[in-house]
Amino acid sequence: MGNPSPLVIDASGRDVHGEADRIRAHGPATRVVLPGPPAVEAWAVSSPELLKRLLTDPRVSKDARRHWPRFAAGEITPEWPLFTWVAVQNMFTAYGGDHKRLRTLVAKAFTARRTSAMRPRIERITEELLDHVEDGLRGGGSVDLREEFCYPLPIRVISELFGLPEERAPELRELVDRLFDTSADPGEMTAAYERLYGVLGELVAAKRATPGDDLTTGLIAARDEDDARLSEQELLDTLVLMISAGHETTVNLLDQAVHSLLTHPEQLAHVREGRATWDDVVEETLRYEAPVASLPLRYAVEDLDLAAFGGPQGVVIGKGEAILAAYAAAGRDPERHGKDAGVFDVTRVDKEHLAFGHGVHFCVGAPLGRMEARIALPALFERFPALRLGAEGDALGYVESFISNGHRRLPVRAG
């Protein structure tokens, strides 16, 4: 991949948008070095139009075993910090017919009916959490809204969907946090995955013994109806994907939406005075602060001349080279969203984004995430109309991940 000076991705994710700016400045597709060791180079694609074309082209795969020579040769080992992101066997990493098979099975369990049926429960959980927040804000107190609201809502919802006992939620949260921490020690990451598989293995055993009306039972049924259709490893890896992706992204969506509204009070006024809707808030947040900043990895099945995809002339992603989807950079691309792409504006006409992916790998849980945010945000601001931040800037910290885009804390006061 002969670029003498590819950009080095910061594993800590301390400046997601500064890094996104640097990626865009190097062009629609540029070489980067991912956190290691070993040293792994990839093409970071930041142009939303180019990304969409690549994400829907069959010559771009997510299957490292078939299409990433370094992985197939054993050069990429569990010591690599991102190993588990490319090694799992589920629809996240599947290609072609395998992906269609896995997604079809998941879609049967993750139906629109089941998602819609969660609305009353999400509303009740939201009110319970807001009662708790209100207790903390009494007397001028401060509450970490990420900890007490943004986090527990999605994890309770996803736990109920999968039939996971409520008492396991704190452990599940800790394990998933570790998976997204791209600055973590690889040994800690491996241990977290092993423990997560243990928790989910126990869940599967319990649901086999006592089936319920939940997604885990649905996936087990798909697994047990025909062993050739869903292997035991694919079952566990699918649960890992659905539970981890099913709450981390929504946590960040809620966190970033609240933060954006509190730091842009004129935008909140647009909603309150009827010039914009809560749907506008959700979609603009997804564009402006993509919950997943960068997503590893895809691979070129053959040489890809980017000019044929509407990209730059003379740039070829070689067969077997890795591709990083730079969603945070794409969301603020001036070529797509104009000179004010870096401005949070809920009245923006064009809020198109790739926060849930694109093409065959579009997030199957997107309707659920949107529904959670659409319920939680208006409820929060109706309950606390004078809500304000209790700290700003660096004091909020950041999730230590170049994948997950959120704050470490979000202290608020009642105003």
Side-chain angles (χ1 to χ4, degrees):
M1 290 173 68
N3 190 333
S5 56
L7 294 171
V8 178
I9 296 294
D10 181 1
S12 75
R14 74 187 66 207
D15 184 14
V16 164
H17 290 293
E19 188 158 80
D21 290 344
R22 290 188 289 276
I23 289 172
R24 282 196 307 270
H26 279 68
T30 187
R31 292 182 178 92
V32 297
V33 178
L34 301 176
V40 172
E41 289 192 18
W43 290 89
V45 180
S46 60
S47 160
E49 298 308 314
L50 179 58
L51 250 182
K52 284 194 290 186
R53 293 187 180 104
L54 290 172
L55 296 181
T56 53
D57 196 289
R59 293 170 293 172
V60 176
S61 168
K62 294 195 78 175
D63 190 336
R65 288 170 174 80
R66 292 173 62 185
H67 298 120
W68 193 17
R70 292 192 64 184
F71 189 91
E75 295 178 31
I76 307 301
T77 68
E79 285 67 43
W80 187 49
L82 301 178
F83 180 81
T84 46
W85 283 86
V86 303
V88 290
Q89 293 178 268
N90 54 35
M91 66 181 184
F92 179 76
T93 56
Y95 173 75
D98 280 340
H99 176 265
K100 184 177 181 179
R101 171 178 63 90
L102 291 168
R103 189 177 178 99
T104 299
L105 292 171
V106 170
K108 287 180 179 178
F110 212 101
T111 61
R113 177 195 64 80
R114 191 186 299 272
T115 299
S116 179
M118 287 295 294
R119 175 176 289 277
R121 185 64 186 134
I122 295 170
E123 291 171 345
R124 287 194 295 273
I125 294 172
T126 297
E127 292 305 313
E128 290 173 16
L129 293 172
L130 290 178
D131 288 344
H132 181 68
V133 170
E134 187 169 356
D135 289 342
L137 292 176
R138 283 199 179 98
S142 174
V143 168
D144 182 349
L145 208 62
R146 183 176 174 95
E147 180 70 20
E148 303 296 341
F149 186 67
C150 302
Y151 226 122
L153 174 59
I155 202 164
R156 284 180 61 178
V157 170
I158 207 72
S159 294
E160 291 191 14
L161 271 173
F162 282 89
L164 190 76
E166 189 171 335
E167 62 269 18
R168 303 303 293 267
E171 180 182 22
L172 179 68
R173 169 194 170 165
E174 181 182 346
L175 293 170
V176 172
D177 278 353
R178 182 62 63 191
L179 304 187
F180 278 88
D181 184 353
T182 52
S183 66
D185 176 81
E188 294 177 0
M189 185 81 75
T190 300
Y193 258 99
E194 290 175 355
R195 182 61 195 136
L196 181 57
Y197 279 114
V199 171
L200 297 178
E202 294 169 13
L203 174 64
V204 168
K207 291 299 175 182
R208 277 205 171 102
T210 310
D213 182 22
D214 52 66
L215 296 187
T216 302
T217 298
L219 288 172
I220 290 170
R223 156 78 177 109
D224 292 348
E225 284 170 7
D226 182 348
D227 285 356
R229 297 187 67 205
L230 187 67
S231 72
E232 193 73 9
Q233 188 62 51
E234 287 172 335
L235 169 62
L236 290 172
D237 282 351
T238 295
L239 288 172
V240 168
L241 169 65
M242 301 306 293
I243 291 175
S244 58
H247 89 262
E248 180 75 14
T249 50
T250 308
V251 173
N252 289 341
L253 169 57
L254 294 175
D255 166 7
Q256 296 286 11
V258 173
H259 180 265
S260 295
L261 289 171
L262 293 183
T263 53
H264 299 81
E266 76 286 354
Q267 300 302 312
L268 182 56
H270 285 320
V271 180
R272 286 178 164 155
E273 295 166 16
R275 293 184 293 274
T277 68
W278 286 106
D279 285 334
D280 290 325
V281 171
V282 171
E283 298 309 309
E284 178 65 351
T285 301
L286 289 165
R287 181 201 71 82
Y288 180 73
E289 290 285 5
V292 173
S294 294
L295 192 63
L297 278 174
R298 286 172 168 82
Y299 320 95
V301 175
E302 60 184 63
D303 287 353
L304 301 175
D305 184 346
L306 296 189
F309 294 83
Q313 297 286 333
V315 178
V316 176
I317 299 179
K319 178 180 179 179
E321 293 185 335
I323 300 169
L324 181 72
Y327 291 134
R332 298 191 184 187
D333 182 30
E335 294 293 324
R336 180 68 179 80
H337 291 288
K339 293 180 180 180
D340 66 344
V343 175
F344 180 70
D345 180 5
V346 297
T347 67
R348 182 187 303 275
V349 174
D350 178 11
K351 303 181 185 68
E352 182 178 290
H353 58 78
L354 297 171
F356 291 120
H358 188 70
V360 296
H361 285 277
F362 183 82
C363 177
V364 71
L368 177 63
R370 282 185 164 114
M371 185 168 71
E372 289 179 65
R374 183 61 184 83
I375 291 169
L377 292 171
L380 172 70
F381 283 96
E382 286 167 15
R383 178 80 72 98
F384 309 110
L387 198 68
R388 61 183 176 85
L389 285 175
E392 296 186 39
D394 293 341
L396 301 179
Y398 50 86
V399 176
E400 293 184 355
S401 172
F402 80 92
I403 298 172
S404 182
N405 177 28
H407 300 97
R408 182 163 290 279
R409 61 193 66 85
L410 192 65
V412 296
R413 296 185 183 278

